[in-house]
Amino acid sequence: MLLSKVWMMLTLVIAVAGLTTAALAHVTLRPAEVVLGTTDTYTVRVPSEGSVATISAELEIPDGVTVVSVEGAPDTYEVKKTGTRISAIVWKTNIPAGERGEFKFTAQNPSQGAEIAWKAHQFFSDGTRTDWIGPKGSDRPGPLTILNAAAP
């Protein structure tokens, strides 16, 4: 009886730990909060969950955000433009399964609004992709940055 209760409890702990890991395993952006109109360096964190490697990651740049620079050697990323504006950054990478990669860029934040809703796309070595574009709380949420007013 005691052994069966211990087994059930252990099974529950493992299940909850697995759910927590799955909930956190998505493309994120830091900092999570910035000031309107300022220029910040962002870090994009891309986990490669599952059993295949991530071979590239694309971040769409929302209207109102102006990319100033992208860190890394020019052959490790490409930018997509709409007119003269950078509208997306694609990082070429090899993130083995179970590991994560980080990529940085500097951008000027919008001068108005409450948040920046980013859209990210992750491409895998088996030809599949995952789109991180949904609203907060969805199965595939896109990264979100809160915009704060400057201190008076």
Side-chain angles (χ1 to χ4, degrees):
M1 178 82 162
L2 179 59
L3 186 55
S4 115
K5 285 184 180 180
V6 169
W7 182 252
M8 285 177 37
M9 201 57 155
L10 182 58
T11 303
L12 179 62
V13 168
I14 291 169
V16 169
L19 288 174
T20 303
T21 301
L24 295 176
H26 59 273
V27 174
T28 59
L29 228 77
R30 295 289 179 252
E33 293 188 28
V34 296
V35 175
L36 289 164
T38 61
T39 299
D40 288 285
T41 298
Y42 286 92
T43 301
V44 181
R45 181 175 284 176
V46 180
S48 196
E49 64 270 349
S51 59
V52 296
T54 295
I55 58 169
S56 68
E58 178 177 349
L59 181 70
E60 294 182 32
I61 308 301
D63 289 338
V65 176
T66 304
V67 173
V68 175
S69 65
V70 181
E71 288 188 21
D75 63 342
T76 62
Y77 68 88
E78 68 180 68
V79 295
K80 294 181 178 179
K81 292 187 175 185
T82 302
T84 59
R85 181 184 171 281
I86 294 175
S87 56
I89 305 168
V90 180
W91 286 277
K92 304 168 198 173
T93 187
N94 181 22
I95 306 169
E99 296 185 22
R100 71 172 178 237
E102 291 187 351
F103 311 98
K104 294 186 180 204
F105 68 99
T106 301
Q108 182 174 6
N109 302 314
S111 57
Q112 58 186 3
E115 63 188 25
I116 305 170
W118 306 87
K119 293 182 179 182
H121 310 280
Q122 189 172 4
F123 299 86
F124 300 94
S125 61
D126 66 357
T128 61
R129 79 185 247 177
T130 300
D131 297 315
W132 302 99
I133 61 174
K136 184 178 180 178
S138 69
D139 287 344
R140 301 276 184 229
L144 192 65
T145 303
I146 304 301
L147 292 168
N148 294 311

